[in-house]
Amino acid sequence: MEVVGLLFGFICLIKGADFFVDGASSLAKKLGVPAVLVGLTIAAIGTSLPEASVSVISALHQNPEIAISNVLGSNLFNTLMVIGCCAIIYPIHVGPELKKRDIPFNVIVSAILFLVIAFTHRLDRLVGIGLLLGLVGYLVYLCTHTKIEKEASSEKLLPTGKIVLFILGGLVAIIAGGQLVVNNASAIATALGWSQTLIGVTIVAIGTSLPELVTSLVACRKGESGLGLGNAVGSNIFNILFILGASSAIAPYTINMQSVIDCLLVLVVAIFLWALSRNGTITKKEGIVFVLLYGIYSFYVFWR
């Protein structure tokens, strides 16, 4: 039954992402905003909801290992696997907003998180509130510094009702599919005798990041590389500022040394992405390097 549930979860993710990308892309064109803004906001928040639910519930249940390892593992997966796989399929054009604003901001929030947990080994309520305020400031900046450019287009857009239906229905399918994958994969992993930390950084992190992977791949296949890259980068920012902010504000917890190391790796790959994005394009070869690096990280996680 777990295998059947796993397969059904994948189907929900794939079809949900297909509908969501169509709806989000039409919304962006109808409002005259860049698709990358939709990726950084609606898509990033929507596809990060599985991580949010898992981490907040884990913190409330006094299980910080899964809460923190889920976010760190998801960010590594988003950067190395999601962006890497997208670049392998279709080279990603990095727009000026992502290159100058969002990717550097991802580095900044990753560095702040690392410095906090490296020196304190703890996420308390004050830090959590600070992270949440950082998210509010970021979203306000995005909304107030985005140029609205409505242009005449011969492309037939979805009607407003269908756009809302596609976005909401797609999100529901994505979240439900992610939960099915996580629950069934975790049951299989537990039966194999894996620890909660290992499950958090691998099965749970990958499972809750499948919405980002599927949404970004579908977006790139449809020629919306800005939406795909914005979704991955926005999810990383949202994971740190909202998920860790909310979970630690609700229930402060201590961070173990393994998570400190994982946080350092999150910072390193964020800097690596920033360095590569400065050329304006993430190529197929660079995508292969990203995927290989995730393979090395996976080997390291199982070895430790």
Side-chain angles (χ1 to χ4, degrees), residues 78-95 98-99 102-104 106 216 220 225-226 228-233 236 269-291 293:
N78 287 344
T79 303
L80 298 178
M81 281 296 289
V82 174
I83 296 175
C85 288
C86 287
I88 290 172
I89 294 173
Y90 190 85
I92 300 174
H93 170 70
V94 184
L98 279 169
K99 184 164 57 175
D102 307 301
I103 293 178
N106 181 42
S216 294
C220 289
S225 60
L229 180 59
N231 176 35
V233 174
N236 284 352
V269 299
I271 294 172
F272 186 45
L273 174 63
W274 171 73
L276 292 181
S277 68
R278 296 183 71 186
N279 295 325
T281 305
I282 300 176
T283 65
K284 180 177 181 178
K285 289 182 179 179
E286 292 167 344
I288 293 173
V289 171
F290 273 39
V291 172
L293 286 175

Side-chain angles (χ1 to χ4, degrees), residues 214-255:
V214 178
T215 301
S216 294
L217 288 175
V218 172
C220 289
R221 179 172 60 82
K222 293 176 180 288
E224 298 285 357
S225 60
L227 175 59
L229 180 59
N231 176 35
V233 174
S235 292
N236 284 352
I237 295 171
F238 184 80
N239 285 350
I240 293 175
L241 295 181
F242 176 73
I243 298 177
L244 291 183
S247 60
S248 58
I250 294 171
Y253 48 84
T254 303
I255 310 297

Side-chain angles (χ1 to χ4, degrees), residues 198 296-304:
L198 181 58
I296 294 171
Y297 168 72
S298 299
F299 176 80
Y300 159 71
V301 167
F302 280 97
W303 171 79
R304 75 182 182 187

Side-chain angles (χ1 to χ4, degrees), residues 123-247:
L123 285 176
D124 56 29
R125 284 195 174 88
L126 185 61
V127 172
I129 293 171
L131 292 175
L132 291 174
L133 290 175
L135 176 64
V136 172
Y138 174 66
L139 291 176
V140 169
Y141 183 86
L142 281 181
C143 294
T144 56
H145 287 74
T146 299
K147 294 181 180 178
I148 306 298
E149 299 179 353
K150 291 198 174 185
E151 298 179 356
S153 175
S154 59
E155 183 181 353
K156 188 175 180 180
L157 300 178
L158 294 171
T160 304
K162 275 194 174 181
I163 289 177
V164 175
L165 182 62
F166 275 33
I167 290 177
L168 295 181
L171 277 178
V172 169
I174 287 170
I175 295 167
Q179 286 300 309
L180 281 171
V181 170
V182 170
N183 293 339
N184 289 284
S186 295
I188 295 171
T190 302
L192 296 175
W194 292 6
S195 68
Q196 289 187 337
T197 301
L198 181 58
I199 291 173
V201 81
T202 53
I203 296 295
V204 176
I206 293 172
T208 54
S209 291
L210 286 177
E212 284 89 342
L213 176 61
V214 178
T215 301
S216 294
L217 288 175
V218 172
C220 289
R221 179 172 60 82
K222 293 176 180 288
E224 298 285 357
S225 60
L227 175 59
L229 180 59
N231 176 35
V233 174
S235 292
N236 284 352
I237 295 171
F238 184 80
N239 285 350
I240 293 175
L241 295 181
F242 176 73
I243 298 177
L244 291 183
S247 60

Side-chain angles (χ1 to χ4, degrees), residues 51 53-59 62-74 182 186 190 195-201 204-205 208 243-244 253 256 259:
E51 286 99 324
S53 60
V54 169
S55 293
V56 171
I57 291 171
S58 297
Q62 299 301 312
N63 194 355
E65 290 85 2
I66 288 183
I68 184 70
S69 61
N70 174 34
V71 167
L72 298 177
S74 293
V182 170
S186 295
T190 302
S195 68
Q196 289 187 337
T197 301
L198 181 58
I199 291 173
V201 81
V204 176
T208 54
I243 298 177
L244 291 183
Y253 48 84
N256 61 34
S259 292

